[in-house]
PDB file of all heavy atoms in Angstrom:
ATOM      1  N   GLN B 215      52.447  57.325  15.291  1.00  0.00           N
ATOM      2  CA  GLN B 215      53.391  56.693  16.197  1.00  0.00           C
ATOM      3  C   GLN B 215      54.827  57.040  15.811  1.00  0.00           C
ATOM      4  O   GLN B 215      55.653  57.337  16.663  1.00  0.00           O
ATOM      5  CB  GLN B 215      53.215  55.174  16.163  1.00  0.00           C
ATOM      6  CG  GLN B 215      51.804  54.715  16.439  1.00  0.00           C
ATOM      7  CD  GLN B 215      51.402  54.956  17.873  1.00  0.00           C
ATOM      8  OE1 GLN B 215      52.188  54.748  18.794  1.00  0.00           O
ATOM      9  NE2 GLN B 215      50.188  55.433  18.083  1.00  0.00           N
ATOM     10  N   GLN B 216      55.109  56.961  14.526  1.00  0.00           N
ATOM     11  CA  GLN B 216      56.470  57.206  14.065  1.00  0.00           C
ATOM     12  C   GLN B 216      56.429  57.539  12.586  1.00  0.00           C
ATOM     13  O   GLN B 216      55.606  57.007  11.844  1.00  0.00           O
ATOM     14  CB  GLN B 216      57.333  55.954  14.286  1.00  0.00           C
ATOM     15  CG  GLN B 216      58.821  56.204  14.063  1.00  0.00           C
ATOM     16  CD  GLN B 216      59.676  55.013  14.499  1.00  0.00           C
ATOM     17  OE1 GLN B 216      59.150  53.972  14.880  1.00  0.00           O
ATOM     18  NE2 GLN B 216      60.980  55.173  14.438  1.00  0.00           N
ATOM     19  N   PHE B 217      57.294  58.455  12.189  1.00  0.00           N
ATOM     20  CA  PHE B 217      57.385  58.839  10.782  1.00  0.00           C
ATOM     21  C   PHE B 217      58.847  58.769  10.403  1.00  0.00           C
ATOM     22  O   PHE B 217      59.647  59.583  10.863  1.00  0.00           O
ATOM     23  CB  PHE B 217      56.821  60.248  10.589  1.00  0.00           C
ATOM     24  CG  PHE B 217      56.802  60.700   9.147  1.00  0.00           C
ATOM     25  CD1 PHE B 217      56.430  59.835   8.138  1.00  0.00           C
ATOM     26  CD2 PHE B 217      57.139  61.996   8.831  1.00  0.00           C
ATOM     27  CE1 PHE B 217      56.403  60.257   6.817  1.00  0.00           C
ATOM     28  CE2 PHE B 217      57.115  62.428   7.509  1.00  0.00           C
ATOM     29  CZ  PHE B 217      56.745  61.553   6.504  1.00  0.00           C
ATOM     30  N   ALA B 218      59.217  57.762   9.639  1.00  0.00           N
ATOM     31  CA  ALA B 218      60.631  57.537   9.377  1.00  0.00           C
ATOM     32  C   ALA B 218      60.798  56.699   8.125  1.00  0.00           C
ATOM     33  O   ALA B 218      59.832  56.198   7.559  1.00  0.00           O
ATOM     34  CB  ALA B 218      61.262  56.811  10.572  1.00  0.00           C
ATOM     35  N   THR B 219      62.048  56.544   7.702  1.00  0.00           N
ATOM     36  CA  THR B 219      62.325  55.696   6.551  1.00  0.00           C
ATOM     37  C   THR B 219      62.047  54.241   6.929  1.00  0.00           C
ATOM     38  O   THR B 219      62.049  53.891   8.112  1.00  0.00           O
ATOM     39  CB  THR B 219      63.798  55.809   6.137  1.00  0.00           C
ATOM     40  OG1 THR B 219      64.603  55.329   7.223  1.00  0.00           O
ATOM     41  CG2 THR B 219      64.175  57.242   5.812  1.00  0.00           C
ATOM     42  N   PRO B 220      61.826  53.389   5.935  1.00  0.00           N
ATOM     43  CA  PRO B 220      61.571  51.978   6.239  1.00  0.00           C
ATOM     44  C   PRO B 220      62.686  51.354   7.074  1.00  0.00           C
ATOM     45  O   PRO B 220      62.408  50.623   8.027  1.00  0.00           O
ATOM     46  CB  PRO B 220      61.493  51.336   4.852  1.00  0.00           C
ATOM     47  CG  PRO B 220      61.018  52.424   3.956  1.00  0.00           C
ATOM     48  CD  PRO B 220      61.639  53.683   4.502  1.00  0.00           C
ATOM     49  N   ALA B 221      63.941  51.659   6.740  1.00  0.00           N
ATOM     50  CA  ALA B 221      65.056  51.060   7.473  1.00  0.00           C
ATOM     51  C   ALA B 221      65.054  51.507   8.935  1.00  0.00           C
ATOM     52  O   ALA B 221      65.252  50.699   9.856  1.00  0.00           O
ATOM     53  CB  ALA B 221      66.378  51.436   6.810  1.00  0.00           C
ATOM     54  N   GLU B 222      64.820  52.792   9.144  1.00  0.00           N
ATOM     55  CA  GLU B 222      64.782  53.340  10.493  1.00  0.00           C
ATOM     56  C   GLU B 222      63.634  52.714  11.290  1.00  0.00           C
ATOM     57  O   GLU B 222      63.773  52.346  12.459  1.00  0.00           O
ATOM     58  CB  GLU B 222      64.613  54.866  10.399  1.00  0.00           C
ATOM     59  CG  GLU B 222      64.377  55.589  11.697  1.00  0.00           C
ATOM     60  CD  GLU B 222      65.634  55.727  12.539  1.00  0.00           C
ATOM     61  OE1 GLU B 222      66.717  55.367  12.036  1.00  0.00           O
ATOM     62  OE2 GLU B 222      65.518  56.165  13.697  1.00  0.00           O
ATOM     63  N   LEU B 223      62.496  52.604  10.642  1.00  0.00           N
ATOM     64  CA  LEU B 223      61.306  52.056  11.278  1.00  0.00           C
ATOM     65  C   LEU B 223      61.555  50.625  11.741  1.00  0.00           C
ATOM     66  O   LEU B 223      61.156  50.216  12.821  1.00  0.00           O
ATOM     67  CB  LEU B 223      60.172  52.058  10.248  1.00  0.00           C
ATOM     68  CG  LEU B 223      58.771  52.358  10.685  1.00  0.00           C
ATOM     69  CD1 LEU B 223      58.709  53.657  11.443  1.00  0.00           C
ATOM     70  CD2 LEU B 223      57.873  52.421   9.457  1.00  0.00           C
ATOM     71  N   TYR B 224      62.248  49.884  10.884  1.00  0.00           N
ATOM     72  CA  TYR B 224      62.508  48.485  11.178  1.00  0.00           C
ATOM     73  C   TYR B 224      63.597  48.352  12.241  1.00  0.00           C
ATOM     74  O   TYR B 224      63.470  47.570  13.174  1.00  0.00           O
ATOM     75  CB  TYR B 224      62.934  47.782   9.890  1.00  0.00           C
ATOM     76  CG  TYR B 224      63.207  46.319  10.064  1.00  0.00           C
ATOM     77  CD1 TYR B 224      62.165  45.410  10.140  1.00  0.00           C
ATOM     78  CD2 TYR B 224      64.514  45.854  10.172  1.00  0.00           C
ATOM     79  CE1 TYR B 224      62.409  44.068  10.311  1.00  0.00           C
ATOM     80  CE2 TYR B 224      64.769  44.511  10.343  1.00  0.00           C
ATOM     81  CZ  TYR B 224      63.709  43.621  10.414  1.00  0.00           C
ATOM     82  OH  TYR B 224      63.966  42.295  10.594  1.00  0.00           O
ATOM     83  N   GLY B 225      64.641  49.154  12.096  1.00  0.00           N
ATOM     84  CA  GLY B 225      65.778  49.029  13.000  1.00  0.00           C
ATOM     85  C   GLY B 225      65.550  49.704  14.333  1.00  0.00           C
ATOM     86  O   GLY B 225      65.986  49.211  15.371  1.00  0.00           O
ATOM     87  N   ASN B 226      64.868  50.824  14.324  1.00  0.00           N
ATOM     88  CA  ASN B 226      64.670  51.596  15.550  1.00  0.00           C
ATOM     89  C   ASN B 226      63.210  51.957  15.758  1.00  0.00           C
ATOM     90  O   ASN B 226      62.838  53.124  15.740  1.00  0.00           O
ATOM     91  CB  ASN B 226      65.496  52.879  15.498  1.00  0.00           C
ATOM     92  CG  ASN B 226      66.940  52.636  15.856  1.00  0.00           C
ATOM     93  OD1 ASN B 226      67.233  51.947  16.830  1.00  0.00           O
ATOM     94  ND2 ASN B 226      67.830  53.185  15.050  1.00  0.00           N
ATOM     95  N   PRO B 227      62.366  50.965  15.953  1.00  0.00           N
ATOM     96  CA  PRO B 227      60.960  51.298  16.206  1.00  0.00           C
ATOM     97  C   PRO B 227      60.852  52.122  17.481  1.00  0.00           C
ATOM     98  O   PRO B 227      61.535  51.836  18.461  1.00  0.00           O
ATOM     99  CB  PRO B 227      60.280  49.935  16.350  1.00  0.00           C
ATOM    100  CG  PRO B 227      61.367  48.973  16.635  1.00  0.00           C
ATOM    101  CD  PRO B 227      62.620  49.518  16.020  1.00  0.00           C
ATOM    102  N   THR B 228      60.019  53.132  17.434  1.00  0.00           N
ATOM    103  CA  THR B 228      59.978  54.070  18.546  1.00  0.00           C
ATOM    104  C   THR B 228      59.209  53.520  19.740  1.00  0.00           C
ATOM    105  O   THR B 228      59.424  53.940  20.865  1.00  0.00           O
ATOM    106  CB  THR B 228      59.385  55.411  18.078  1.00  0.00           C
ATOM    107  OG1 THR B 228      59.503  56.344  19.122  1.00  0.00           O
ATOM    108  CG2 THR B 228      57.921  55.257  17.715  1.00  0.00           C
ATOM    109  N   ASN B 229      58.303  52.599  19.488  1.00  0.00           N
ATOM    110  CA  ASN B 229      57.577  52.010  20.622  1.00  0.00           C
ATOM    111  C   ASN B 229      57.162  50.577  20.293  1.00  0.00           C
ATOM    112  O   ASN B 229      57.401  50.079  19.186  1.00  0.00           O
ATOM    113  CB  ASN B 229      56.369  52.868  21.011  1.00  0.00           C
ATOM    114  CG  ASN B 229      55.396  53.044  19.857  1.00  0.00           C
ATOM    115  OD1 ASN B 229      55.289  52.173  18.995  1.00  0.00           O
ATOM    116  ND2 ASN B 229      54.702  54.162  19.847  1.00  0.00           N
ATOM    117  N   LEU B 230      56.549  49.933  21.243  1.00  0.00           N
ATOM    118  CA  LEU B 230      56.205  48.523  21.088  1.00  0.00           C
ATOM    119  C   LEU B 230      55.252  48.296  19.931  1.00  0.00           C
ATOM    120  O   LEU B 230      55.338  47.293  19.218  1.00  0.00           O
ATOM    121  CB  LEU B 230      55.556  48.006  22.380  1.00  0.00           C
ATOM    122  CG  LEU B 230      56.529  47.512  23.441  1.00  0.00           C
ATOM    123  CD1 LEU B 230      55.773  47.155  24.704  1.00  0.00           C
ATOM    124  CD2 LEU B 230      57.275  46.282  22.920  1.00  0.00           C
ATOM    125  N   PHE B 231      54.313  49.252  19.728  1.00  0.00           N
ATOM    126  CA  PHE B 231      53.361  49.054  18.642  1.00  0.00           C
ATOM    127  C   PHE B 231      54.075  48.978  17.300  1.00  0.00           C
ATOM    128  O   PHE B 231      53.833  48.080  16.498  1.00  0.00           O
ATOM    129  CB  PHE B 231      52.305  50.159  18.616  1.00  0.00           C
ATOM    130  CG  PHE B 231      51.399  50.002  17.438  1.00  0.00           C
ATOM    131  CD1 PHE B 231      50.334  49.119  17.499  1.00  0.00           C
ATOM    132  CD2 PHE B 231      51.649  50.675  16.248  1.00  0.00           C
ATOM    133  CE1 PHE B 231      49.523  48.921  16.407  1.00  0.00           C
ATOM    134  CE2 PHE B 231      50.840  50.473  15.141  1.00  0.00           C
ATOM    135  CZ  PHE B 231      49.774  49.603  15.225  1.00  0.00           C
ATOM    136  N   VAL B 232      54.954  49.936  17.065  1.00  0.00           N
ATOM    137  CA  VAL B 232      55.663  49.962  15.783  1.00  0.00           C
ATOM    138  C   VAL B 232      56.511  48.703  15.627  1.00  0.00           C
ATOM    139  O   VAL B 232      56.538  48.085  14.560  1.00  0.00           O
ATOM    140  CB  VAL B 232      56.533  51.231  15.667  1.00  0.00           C
ATOM    141  CG1 VAL B 232      57.327  51.211  14.369  1.00  0.00           C
ATOM    142  CG2 VAL B 232      55.660  52.470  15.745  1.00  0.00           C
ATOM    143  N   ALA B 233      57.184  48.306  16.713  1.00  0.00           N
ATOM    144  CA  ALA B 233      58.014  47.102  16.648  1.00  0.00           C
ATOM    145  C   ALA B 233      57.172  45.893  16.264  1.00  0.00           C
ATOM    146  O   ALA B 233      57.593  45.041  15.485  1.00  0.00           O
ATOM    147  CB  ALA B 233      58.688  46.872  18.000  1.00  0.00           C
ATOM    148  N   GLY B 234      55.952  45.823  16.797  1.00  0.00           N
ATOM    149  CA  GLY B 234      55.107  44.682  16.511  1.00  0.00           C
ATOM    150  C   GLY B 234      54.490  44.736  15.133  1.00  0.00           C
ATOM    151  O   GLY B 234      54.260  43.709  14.500  1.00  0.00           O
ATOM    152  N   PHE B 235      54.218  45.952  14.645  1.00  0.00           N
ATOM    153  CA  PHE B 235      53.473  46.080  13.393  1.00  0.00           C
ATOM    154  C   PHE B 235      54.364  45.989  12.170  1.00  0.00           C
ATOM    155  O   PHE B 235      53.949  45.496  11.134  1.00  0.00           O
ATOM    156  CB  PHE B 235      52.714  47.414  13.387  1.00  0.00           C
ATOM    157  CG  PHE B 235      51.578  47.425  12.411  1.00  0.00           C
ATOM    158  CD1 PHE B 235      50.408  46.746  12.692  1.00  0.00           C
ATOM    159  CD2 PHE B 235      51.687  48.102  11.210  1.00  0.00           C
ATOM    160  CE1 PHE B 235      49.357  46.735  11.796  1.00  0.00           C
ATOM    161  CE2 PHE B 235      50.635  48.097  10.305  1.00  0.00           C
ATOM    162  CZ  PHE B 235      49.471  47.415  10.602  1.00  0.00           C
TER     163      PHE B 235
END
Side-chain angles (χ1 to χ4, degrees):
Chain B
Q215 306 291 319
Q216 190 171 5
F217 183 41
T219 63
E222 172 75 7
L223 217 53
Y224 181 78
N226 280 314
T228 187
N229 59 29
L230 274 175
F231 176 82
V232 177
F235 200 75

